[in-house]
Amino acid sequence: MTAGDAKRRPPVGFYWHERCFWHDPGAIGVFSAPGEFLQPQPASESAESKRRLKNLLEVSGLIDELRVRKPGPAGREDLERFHSPRYLDALEAGDRALGGNGGDCAPYTPGSLAAARQSAGLAIAAVEAVATGELARAYALCRPPGHHAEADRGRGFCLLGNIPVAVMRARALGQVGRVAILDWDVHHGNGQQAAFYDDPEVLTVSIHQAGNYPLDTGTFEEQGEGAGEGACLNLPLPPGCGLGAYAHAMSELVLPALEAFRPELIVVACGYDACAKDPLGKMLLNSAAFGDMTRQLMALAERVCDGRLVMVHEGGYSEGYVPLCGHAVIEALAGDAITVPDPQNDEIAAWAYQALQPHQRELIDGWRAAWFDADRL
């Protein structure tokens, strides 16, 4: 890379903070709560996969190509744009005591609230920098995650809604108008859906494993309400979907829906638990798939919103494989030649049933037809 190339390249931000790694949900393993016959073990949502991603960026040298920033935590005013004062008060009371549970499968211990506020602060700063044109694109290494948190409770390892808080703030300050949020975490993005369900200016799209978590949300029929009807799109894919199904879903419905909406900013709830190595999902993606989807979104963003794209880290529980997936995404964001080899990328791609299966095609094409018939494409 020459000095001239570096000057011409749009700056890409990387937001992280050590405080986020200090959140401790307690020893609950893969379960929602301890039990008499469940030997304690570290929670599935741990700091290790995120710390390893940051470390891999350091070792590969890619981090030196990014604008590394460590903004402050989110304040109460910004959190209250999404969360109820009663819920925030309860979190603060639990933090002063011995911890607790934010609601549904969202345990925390003293110190977790500081990490959650810091995590939301990363998302806020990343969205603001891209929305105002300071940066072209950004990646926020948030922890705890936020895409399951709702206004009055935490859910699924999430205490604060990082993306809703950041988007609501940016819109309130006039930094951006129409926003599209794509959630490709393997679990349904219920938090963003609930936050903007009646808002026609925010499109929420979630491509996820059907009926995984939460059990009560994420069907195709959930499409918004009131003025927001048609601004919510769910693609609940059947377990076992791999490269072919995700590629078909992206090309046939996700990308066309985003383009038709014409957002001013695209935010991605960037979970990696749809990877083939994840213990909490049953999908088959390799690291290259995440890089490919990122490049597709970058091309779309260039066409519709001057390239404005923010990735906010969500789930992903394979401590060894998440760093490779995350590096592939950040490589794409930076348009960089610095790569790291994934020793299992080609092996995963060669697994049986990676090609688009007939039942998968029928389901996705049916959704596309229904979305088109509703005059939304």
Side-chain angles (χ1 to χ4, degrees):
M1 181 181 66
T2 68
D5 291 335
K7 289 179 181 179
R8 287 192 298 270
R9 175 175 299 164
V12 176
F14 179 70
Y15 292 75
W16 82 284
H17 199 287
E18 176 67 26
R19 172 67 68 182
C20 293
F21 300 156
W22 290 15
H23 162 55
D24 180 8
I28 62 170
V30 300
F31 304 99
S32 59
E36 179 182 0
F37 299 104
L38 304 177
Q39 181 176 336
Q41 68 181 91
S44 297
E45 199 293 299
S46 72
E48 190 64 11
S49 63
K50 291 80 175 175
R51 192 187 299 276
R52 284 174 177 254
L53 171 54
K54 191 264 180 180
N55 291 345
L56 183 58
L57 294 171
E58 295 271 10
V59 171
S60 74
L62 182 55
I63 200 168
D64 298 323
E65 305 295 315
L66 309 172
R67 299 282 182 90
V68 180
R69 296 181 175 175
K70 299 179 183 179
R76 177 82 181 219
E77 179 181 0
D78 289 329
L79 295 178
E80 285 189 4
R81 297 185 196 279
F82 175 47
H83 292 290
S84 69
R86 181 177 180 179
Y87 173 59
L88 295 175
D89 289 344
L91 285 181
E92 291 173 3
D95 192 64
R96 289 192 299 269
L98 297 177
N101 196 311
D104 172 31
C105 305
Y108 64 98
T109 57
S112 291
L113 184 55
R117 284 176 169 159
Q118 183 63 63
S119 184
L122 299 182
I124 285 173
V127 166
E128 178 173 27
V130 174
T132 59
E134 180 186 354
L135 296 174
R137 297 172 293 281
Y139 191 101
L141 186 58
C142 295
R143 179 176 183 268
H147 76 137
H148 293 313
E150 297 173 351
D152 57 357
R153 62 171 172 171
R155 299 187 78 178
F157 305 140
C158 304
L159 296 176
L160 299 175
N162 300 325
I163 291 176
V165 166
V167 169
M168 287 182 177
R169 179 182 186 275
R171 295 180 70 212
L173 297 181
Q175 297 169 348
V176 69
R178 291 167 70 84
V179 178
I181 302 170
L182 169 61
D183 190 322
W184 65 40
D185 190 283
V186 83
H187 306 107
H188 177 232
N190 63 288
Q192 289 97 227
Q193 175 173 304
F196 302 107
Y197 204 57
D198 60 355
D199 190 336
E201 297 298 301
V202 179
L203 172 68
T204 60
V205 181
S206 180
I207 179 170
H208 52 273
Q209 180 184 323
N212 185 325
Y213 184 89
L215 295 177
D216 57 345
T217 65
T219 66
F220 177 74
E221 289 70 28
E222 298 162 32
Q223 298 183 5
E225 64 183 8
E229 184 176 356
C232 175
L233 172 60
N234 287 305
L235 286 76
L237 297 174
C241 284
L243 303 179
Y246 271 80
H248 192 65
M250 288 289 289
S251 66
E252 295 303 307
L253 187 47
V254 173
L255 295 172
L258 292 173
E259 186 152 11
F261 186 71
R262 308 298 294 183
E264 298 169 26
L265 171 72
I266 299 173
V267 181
V268 179
C270 187
Y272 299 110
D273 35 15
C275 81
K277 299 293 182 178
D278 197 88
L280 300 187
K282 304 301 178 187
M283 299 308 203
L284 304 176
L285 298 187
N286 56 9
S287 61
F290 291 100
D292 290 343
M293 291 191 295
T294 301
R295 281 182 282 273
Q296 289 178 312
L297 286 174
M298 289 171 59
L300 173 62
E302 289 295 336
R303 295 196 299 273
V304 302
C305 56
D306 295 325
R308 297 188 186 96
L309 177 63
V310 178
M311 318 293 280
V312 177
H313 195 109
E314 292 289 349
Y317 309 99
S318 172
E319 294 177 358
Y321 204 63
V322 162
L324 295 171
C325 297
H327 201 282
V329 165
I330 298 170
E331 284 173 23
L333 284 179
D336 208 280
I338 295 176
T339 62
V340 296
D342 174 357
Q344 291 198 299
N345 185 76
D346 294 344
E347 175 187 336
I348 293 171
W351 286 1
Y353 300 101
Q354 282 287 12
L356 179 65
Q357 302 299 301
H359 71 285
Q360 298 164 351
R361 178 189 293 275
E362 180 180 3
L363 191 62
I364 295 166
D365 289 352
W367 292 331
R368 176 183 167 83
W371 203 250
F372 183 85
D373 289 344
D375 198 26
R376 292 171 184 154
L377 289 179

